[in-house]
Amino acid sequence: MRLYEHEAKSLFAKLGIPVKGEAVVNSPEEAKEAAAKKGTSVVLKAQVLTGGRGKAGGIQMADTPGEALEVAKKIMALKIRGFPVERLLVAEKLDIQQEFYVGVTIDRINYKIVVIVCPEGGVDIEETAKKSPEKIHRLSLSINDSLYPYQAIALAKALGVTGGEVRKVGAIIVNLHKLFKSCDAKLVEINPLVRLADGSYVAADARMSIDDDALFRHSELMAMGIEKRHEEGEMTEREQQAREWSIPYLDLDGNIGMFPGGAGFGIMGNDFIEHFGGKPANFMDSGGGPSPERLAKMLVLLDENTQVKAIFGARFGGISRCDDFAKGVIMFLKEHGLSKPMVMRMTGNMWQEGVRLFEEAKREHPELFEKIEIHGIETPIEEIAKRAVELAKS
Ligand code: GDP
Ligand code: MN
């Protein structure tokens, strides 16, 4: 489960990882007060369980308490990746000279703990890993290994840090590794670790994810008010909506809406889309019998997602029949319409009848089917996946 930035920073502070005087507030008025108390320019930061807040407008500066009030109002009106902003961190604005990345996580392939550093911080580390992998430095450790100062110093040097600052950064890396182990973390990340004009270093951001199954071992975390965060805290609004409707659903990063038959077909569909160079916007299962009501809800989840550019539908009729499926989808199209192009294929139980129903409905209401392509068993599933990728691009 993920921790909020302010929770992670309070753990940093306990271990001697430098953070700058920060306050958590629940309203724009409190943000104004906190800024007045600090008496400096401040940075206001949305406390949400997702990254990329900067790009989404969730991190903003204010030079006066009045400005802090206005900026806080703006940030608190945002929804960042589906997360409403209910709290802000108000911190002293840092005069940043340089940004670095430092993180500790689990290497699941080699069963190791891996310390990762990169001289380019403040940006998405996944992007850097793709574009300039040579900039990323790693140190693998076994679960029982300590991280020795000499190793941390080598990592600090790899960041390009020099002189007396090497020890400071080395100590931060050692402490971050300690924190990782002492909390049963899955990830601890400082992105960016910043260098200030006076040569000191501060964790400007903090991201932590801990193993919730190990939380019972950490009375000190529970004493701080860190609770087992039921999935809701980590779910997007759409995922919460889907849960209310009992539809197993996950938001993903891509732009192809996945409208599958069962979960198995759903997983396969996602693999196909990736194979042909596309990116699924979600994973979904019908979560029980695909009644017309349920199909309508599944389509609403996709239709209302502005990220979705095209929908990939693949139905395999097993116990449930394709003609019933077709009836449900047609009913939805008549009642709500679909704003996105969709390519669909039906095979299995009663697929011919399903296709026939679609064709009939299309003759009656061609306007509803302009952006919908229906296929049966004659079209291989690969073609459907390719077509969905094409549609999403155009
Ligand atoms: P994220 O976008 O969710 O990762 O949020 P961060 O806390 O990492 O902030 C994003 C970016 O905002 C950082 O990489 C910095 O460039 C900038 N930023 C954050 N805090 C400060 C600050 O105190 N002063 C300045 N000048 N920039 C900051
Ligand atoms: Mn960050």
Side-chain angles (χ1 to χ4, degrees):
M1 69 186 219
R2 289 202 51 174
L3 301 191
Y4 287 98
E5 177 189 2
H6 64 89
E7 293 172 331
K9 280 187 172 169
S10 65
L11 296 172
F12 281 15
K14 279 192 181 171
L15 267 164
I17 298 168
V19 291
K20 276 271 163 118
E22 330 216 323
V24 183
V25 300
N26 296 296
S27 69
E29 291 70 30
E30 282 177 38
K32 182 182 170 186
E33 271 171 45
K37 219 185 237 170
K38 290 224 165 12
T40 59
S41 295
V42 292
V43 53
L44 295 112
K45 312 183 74 177
Q47 296 301 286
V48 284
L49 294 169
T50 180
R53 295 166 303 165
K55 277 187 206 152
I59 311 278
Q60 294 190 42
M61 318 290 164
D63 290 326
T64 63
E67 211 181 309
L69 177 78
E70 294 314 312
V71 167
K73 280 185 192 160
K74 276 188 206 145
I75 300 179
M76 294 191 84
L78 292 175
K79 247 182 213 167
I80 303 179
R81 294 191 179 159
F83 293 93
V85 182
E86 280 155 8
R87 265 170 304 175
L88 298 176
L89 193 66
V90 182
E92 185 183 324
K93 179 178 160 188
L94 304 168
D95 182 12
I96 298 177
Q97 294 231 314
Q98 222 178 331
E99 304 193 25
F100 304 93
Y101 174 95
V102 180
V104 183
T105 189
I106 298 168
D107 174 348
R108 286 168 204 278
I109 294 169
N110 299 305
Y111 305 109
K112 299 272 189 182
I113 291 175
V114 59
V115 185
I116 302 169
V117 302
C118 175
E120 247 170 46
V123 289
D124 203 349
I125 191 74
E126 284 84 5
E127 285 300 308
T128 312
K130 268 187 223 150
K131 274 193 221 139
S132 2
E134 74 288 351
K135 289 190 180 149
I136 294 183
H137 302 267
R138 292 183 182 81
L139 173 70
S140 286
L141 298 166
S142 287
I143 185 79
N144 290 319
D145 289 350
S146 297
L147 173 61
Y148 291 104
Y150 80 89
Q151 295 171 304
I153 281 172
L155 289 168
K157 286 183 178 161
L159 286 175
V161 174
T162 56
E165 292 173 22
V166 167
R167 282 189 177 280
K168 289 187 219 168
V169 173
I172 291 172
I173 298 172
V174 166
N175 286 329
L176 198 68
H177 175 257
K178 273 192 195 146
L179 178 65
F180 177 90
K181 283 184 50 168
S182 70
C183 292
D184 287 311
K186 296 193 285 191
L187 170 80
V188 295
E189 197 178 78
I190 313 179
N191 187 22
L193 171 69
V194 301
R195 182 186 190 275
L196 305 183
D198 64 359
S200 63
Y201 287 78
V202 176
D205 189 10
R207 183 164 171 177
M208 261 182 94
S209 178
I210 60 178
D211 181 350
D212 36 349
D213 290 329
L215 190 61
F216 74 97
R217 308 201 315 172
H218 300 285
S219 50
E220 76 291 357
L221 295 183
M222 290 190 268
M224 284 174 59
I226 293 175
E227 293 165 17
K228 179 151 178 157
R229 205 148 278 150
H230 291 293
E231 285 165 40
E232 283 103 46
E234 299 186 326
M235 285 165 111
T236 64
E237 282 198 349
R238 199 172 306 109
E239 287 166 350
Q240 291 179 32
Q241 174 66 78
R243 169 182 267 202
E244 257 171 53
W245 289 341
S246 307
I247 297 170
Y249 178 96
L250 266 183
D251 269 323
L252 301 172
D253 286 339
N255 59 6
I256 300 180
M258 304 299 286
F259 179 50
F265 229 71
I267 294 168
M268 191 197 68
N270 283 43
D271 283 349
F272 267 126
I273 293 291
E274 294 260 355
H275 179 76
F276 290 112
K279 278 210 159 287
N282 67 291
F283 170 78
M284 175 154 62
D285 175 16
S286 43
S291 62
E293 294 73 31
R294 191 174 288 280
L295 292 170
K297 286 169 178 163
M298 291 168 75
L299 284 167
V300 164
L301 290 172
L302 301 178
D303 201 38
E304 289 181 354
N305 183 350
T306 52
Q307 213 172 298
V308 169
K309 299 292 174 248
I311 297 174
F312 169 87
R315 183 81 211 165
F316 176 76
I319 296 170
S320 64
R321 299 162 41 151
C322 287
D323 53 340
D324 289 338
F325 171 76
K327 282 179 201 158
V329 175
I330 291 166
M331 194 166 109
F332 174 83
L333 293 173
K334 285 185 183 163
E335 285 172 9
H336 299 256
L338 194 62
S339 64
K340 332 238 157 156
M342 173 160 83
V343 54
M344 264 200 43
R345 175 181 190 255
M346 279 181 286
T347 53
N349 193 2
M350 300 293 280
W351 71 268
Q352 282 123 320
E353 181 61 7
V355 171
R356 195 192 65 73
L357 287 171
F358 268 110
E359 278 165 1
E360 189 182 280
K362 190 173 177 172
R363 273 194 298 278
E364 283 170 23
H365 303 278
E367 72 289 353
L368 295 178
F369 290 83
E370 265 165 21
K371 289 191 265 178
I372 296 175
E373 301 168 18
I374 302 288
H375 300 263
I377 198 161
E378 71 288 347
T379 315
I381 186 81
E382 290 91 333
E383 296 303 318
I384 307 290
K386 275 188 215 163
R387 181 72 185 133
V389 173
E390 240 173 63
L391 285 171
K393 277 185 189 147
S394 63

